[in-house]
Amino acid sequence: MAQPARAARPAGAARPVRRFGAVHWLGLATLFRREFRAYLKDWPETVVAPTFSILLYVAVFAVASGEAMGDSSAAAWAGPGGLLPFLAPGLVVYVVILRAAEATVYSITFLKVERLVGDILMPPLAAWEVAAGYALAGTASGLVTGLPCLIALLLAAGTGVADPALLALVLLLGAFLLAAAGTLVGLWAEKWDQAAAFFGFLLIPVTFLSGVFAPVALLPEPLAVVVALNPVYYAIDAARIAFGGAGAEPVGRSLAVLAASGAALWACAALLISRGWRLKP
């Protein structure tokens, strides 16, 4: 027997409230837990390996500075005012945002390459909840990777963090920003080569030119202006202030740029997911 047609909803009428409520907390938590557990499943590669890589960076810089400065290298390398305390904030931010972006980019790209996009489209979650779930899981992934790196660099530098609360907030906002950006890249990428190109040709070069290894003020004027438009620059600058160093930008401005940029990218990802952009045939 044919089913009677549903009556059309009058124009302008309010949409019915979902039976899950305004926010499907259980579904959001389930998506977050699935993505975060998938990241931690390969913890030697995703958590331990980045710290090892950063320590190699530090070792290379230590050797290079020792050859350049001779006997005075030890005093100029570690301790207050040394080179390592200057490098540490940028390296920590680099690890956190890189892993936050990788977690979302590769997770969504995997679903598309393996034709499992139903995991994104079928769950009873609103588009903004799907975007939030991936972004929050990527954020947590970046932070859990950055913690051992932070501890290792603090031990190597022989210093502490002047403002732990500010550093935590900067890393949280920076990780969310790149996790949301990674969600967008994952939606855009149709194959692994495109996902890898984002890191090799955009994220890593842009991060290295945002004050990780040298103050942006030392860059040529045109390049310094371009770098100042990059939100990663503000994350590194604010992290350096949290470590007790000198920053080039007011902390309030840096936090506002990070928060606004992250919210804008998350909203854009939610909009594209709601339209099925590059998800539906």
Side-chain angles (χ1 to χ4, degrees), residues 1-280:
M1 181 177 178
Q3 295 292 330
R6 291 186 177 181
R9 184 165 54 91
R15 291 183 179 273
V17 178
R18 296 187 303 169
R19 64 186 179 91
F20 305 109
V23 180
H24 189 356
W25 293 109
L26 178 59
L28 183 59
T30 301
L31 176 59
F32 171 86
R33 186 166 55 250
R34 186 193 74 171
E35 293 299 314
F36 189 48
R37 283 181 176 177
Y39 182 82
L40 293 180
K41 184 178 181 180
D42 299 321
W43 63 267
E45 177 184 351
T46 58
V47 178
V48 177
T51 300
F52 181 72
S53 299
I54 288 301
L55 291 178
L56 286 179
Y57 275 122
V58 170
V60 169
F61 270 94
V63 172
S65 63
E67 293 180 353
M69 292 180 286
D71 295 336
S72 63
S73 62
W77 173 250
L83 180 59
L84 183 54
F86 174 84
L87 294 174
L91 292 175
V92 172
V93 170
Y94 166 71
V95 169
V96 169
I97 66 174
L98 179 64
R99 288 299 170 174
E102 286 182 345
T104 51
V105 169
Y106 291 135
S107 178
I108 296 176
T109 303
F110 173 80
L111 295 178
K112 296 174 66 177
V113 170
E114 298 297 326
R115 302 184 182 277
L116 299 173
V117 291
D119 289 0
I120 300 176
L121 299 175
M122 295 303 293
L125 294 170
W128 69 266
E129 291 170 334
V130 174
Y134 279 102
L136 291 175
T139 300
S141 300
L143 293 176
V144 76
T145 305
L147 181 59
C149 178
L150 172 63
I151 294 173
L153 287 175
L154 289 178
L155 292 175
T159 60
V161 178
D163 194 338
L166 174 60
L167 180 62
L169 182 57
V170 170
L171 295 180
L172 176 65
L173 293 176
F176 184 83
L177 168 68
L178 267 297
T183 303
L184 286 173
V185 175
L187 293 173
W188 165 77
E190 297 287 351
K191 50 187 179 180
W192 292 115
D193 290 347
Q194 293 176 330
F198 165 71
F199 296 97
F201 293 102
L202 184 61
L203 180 58
I204 294 177
V206 164
T207 303
F208 280 3
L209 290 174
S210 296
V212 175
F213 299 113
V216 174
L218 298 180
L219 297 175
E221 186 62 27
L223 188 57
V225 172
V226 173
V227 169
L229 300 176
N230 177 16
V232 176
Y233 157 71
Y234 294 92
I236 294 174
D237 189 75
R240 190 156 285 134
I241 294 175
F243 268 70
E249 304 290 339
V251 173
R253 180 188 301 171
S254 297
L255 296 178
V257 169
L258 291 173
S261 301
L265 292 177
W266 165 74
C268 184
L271 177 62
L272 295 179
I273 292 174
S274 69
R275 296 181 175 180
W277 183 70
R278 290 194 174 233
L279 295 175
K280 299 178 181 178

